[in-house]
Amino acid sequence: MTDQNEESDRSGGNIPKLTNSYLESLIASEQYTYFEEAGTTVCCLQLKSTYSITVSVVCANPALRSEARGRERARRKAMAELLDKEYYTLRSKLYDIQLGIGERGDE
């Protein structure tokens, strides 16, 4: 039985769909630091794989600065980076399948 976040490829294996719920399932924890005077928010997503994604966002307009807004923007940016990394991983897996290679290095 396949998970709702996976689909079958031509070789019978399962390839995860890169949905928001799939990406969320990769996150073990998240931390934020807000530097009020600088208008900067830093977001660190710690993944279950122990890899970390750390990004920062800056709000130049002091009238628009808020910790909540900074956290929202920083998390959105970190999730976009996570999506990019997962998309690369998925494309690599699909390429290996196309070449008939199992796991990386298995021929």
Side-chain angles (χ1 to χ4, degrees):
M1 176 184 242
T2 60
D3 183 272
Q4 67 181 8
N5 291 330
E6 296 181 349
E7 62 184 28
S8 246
D9 63 36
R10 283 183 237 143
S11 68
N14 290 322
I15 303 296
K17 291 182 183 179
L18 300 181
T19 63
N20 284 335
S21 61
Y22 174 74
L23 295 175
E24 292 286 345
S25 77
L26 301 175
I27 300 170
S29 65
E30 53 192 87
Q31 295 178 337
Y32 298 89
T33 303
Y34 178 61
F35 300 94
E36 188 172 0
E37 290 181 21
T40 301
T41 304
V42 177
C43 171
C44 178
L45 298 181
Q46 179 73 42
L47 305 182
K48 291 177 182 174
S49 67
T50 71
Y51 185 80
S52 295
I53 294 177
T54 304
V55 300
S56 64
V57 294
V58 177
C59 180
N61 184 344
L64 298 176
R65 289 182 190 161
S66 77
E67 186 172 354
R69 182 175 292 177
R71 286 174 66 112
E72 180 183 323
R73 289 180 58 222
R75 189 170 200 285
R76 191 170 40 238
K77 185 176 177 180
M79 291 299 287
E81 189 171 322
L82 175 57
L83 177 62
D84 286 346
K85 291 181 183 321
E86 285 298 307
Y87 183 72
Y88 173 80
T89 301
L90 177 61
R91 295 299 301 170
S92 293
K93 287 179 182 178
L94 292 173
Y95 181 70
D96 286 350
I97 289 168
Q98 182 182 14
L99 294 178
I101 300 172
E103 293 296 316
R104 285 242 169 231
D106 279 355
E107 293 193 43

